[in-house]
Amino acid sequence: AQTVTQSQPEMSVQEAETVTLSCTYDTSESDYYLFWYKQPPSRQMILVIRQEAYKQQNATENRFSVNFQKAAKSFSLKISDSQLGDAAMYFCAYRSSGSTGRRALTFGSGTRLQVQP
Amino acid sequence: KAGVTQTPRYLIKTRGQQVTLSCSPISGHRSVSWYQQTPGQGLQFLFEYFSETQRNKGNFPGRFSGRQFSNSRSEMNVSTLELGDSALYLCASSLGLAGGLYNEQFFGPGTRLTVL
């Protein structure tokens, strides 16, 4: 079974600074997807960024980028120019490609990000 | 386009009762997945429905069940409630079965269930 580990329960960053959230995962599959979701106090889960395992190029979405290291099974999220609105719980998630029938998201335990003004 | 809606948003029940939660997916989405979120266990997958059929199931007891209607709306039911069932229940919809990268799952705001 796949597992996702987020070793940082809480992180804090100053507004306009950069912060990196860590995520490692364990899988025996070669084809899969990785995601970062944001859950603000409103509880609505919002997709931040996604990465296909077969793509070596790291995904980027505006101020959000990832460092995907397939061999190390590491998938960290970098938030640049942090804003107050970035304060939330961040979840790393894994999903099989679907060929095995296992399509459910497997989530890490989350990292609570605080942004200091 | 309206997002995923879940009703009710808050619910308080007592042990032994049963509860039904509802999820209306984004218009045109045919897949609905349910997740349970608790402080202790985190986010865990319950089940996925597509075209009124359960396609995938997580590791939960049979007290947890669901169904999907022809309009893709889904309900989940928990019978004989236990204190440990207190959780945020999240519903997510996607166009098709959640197997492709861009077949993104859009989450609803959740239903907060408290069991006393």
Side-chain angles (χ1 to χ4, degrees):
Chain A
Q2 295 78 27
T3 58
V4 178
T5 302
Q6 292 178 250
S7 58
Q8 306 154 315
E10 286 196 28
M11 292 281 286
S12 184
V13 63
Q14 291 290 129
E15 200 175 0
E17 295 294 306
T18 295
V19 63
T20 299
L21 309 184
S22 301
C23 172
T24 58
Y25 58 94
D26 188 28
T27 184
S28 59
E29 299 174 331
S30 59
D31 193 15
Y32 50 87
Y33 308 122
L34 295 164
F35 305 86
W36 277 98
Y37 281 89
K38 169 184 176 181
Q39 187 178 40
S42 67
R43 308 177 313 190
Q44 187 108 26
M45 294 280 278
I46 302 163
L47 178 65
V48 174
I49 199 164
R50 69 193 112 200
Q51 174 81 42
E52 296 164 275
Y54 71 84
K55 281 191 176 179
Q56 292 186 342
Q57 186 174 5
N58 290 322
T60 300
E61 289 285 344
N62 301 313
R63 297 183 295 108
F64 299 87
S65 62
V66 298
N67 183 4
F68 173 50
Q69 302 290 328
K70 190 172 184 179
K73 295 180 183 175
S74 171
F75 183 61
S76 60
L77 174 70
K78 186 171 83 171
I79 306 174
S80 304
D81 186 25
S82 297
Q83 300 176 0
L84 295 177
D86 294 334
M89 197 76 168
Y90 286 81
F91 292 95
C92 178
Y94 172 103
R95 195 177 77 213
S96 296
S97 64
S99 59
T100 60
R102 293 190 297 272
R103 293 176 298 270
L105 288 164
T106 299
F107 289 91
S109 55
T111 296
R112 184 171 302 282
L113 178 66
Q114 295 182 324
V115 181
Q116 308 296 334
Chain B
K1 197 182 258 190
V4 179
T5 57
Q6 292 187 246
T7 56
R9 293 292 306 277
Y10 301 89
L11 205 49
I12 299 175
K13 292 285 187 179
T14 55
R15 279 181 298 174
Q17 287 187 309
Q18 77 165 16
V19 67
T20 299
L21 311 182
S22 180
C23 171
S24 292
I26 291 172
S27 178
H29 284 195
R30 296 173 63 194
S31 169
V32 173
S33 297
W34 289 89
Y35 294 84
Q36 181 197 63
Q37 185 175 19
T38 60
Q41 300 298 316
L43 279 151
Q44 293 185 289
F45 170 73
L46 280 156
F47 26 65
E48 178 187 20
Y49 284 86
F50 180 81
S51 292
E52 302 177 63
T53 303
Q54 188 180 90
R55 301 304 181 110
N56 205 1
K57 189 176 189 300
N59 189 26
F60 277 81
R63 299 185 298 106
F64 291 81
S65 63
R67 59 178 176 169
Q68 187 181 35
F69 301 94
S70 58
N71 62 357
S72 295
R73 189 178 70 85
S74 177
E75 289 181 347
M76 67 163 281
N77 183 278
V78 188
S79 62
T80 319
L81 282 166
E82 300 177 0
L83 295 179
D85 297 333
S86 294
L88 179 67
Y89 290 88
L90 293 168
C91 162
S93 78
S94 59
L95 276 170
L97 285 168
L101 178 66
Y102 291 98
N103 193 15
E104 179 183 338
Q105 291 189 322
F106 292 84
F107 284 81
T111 294
R112 170 75 66 186
L113 172 65
T114 302
V115 182
L116 302 175

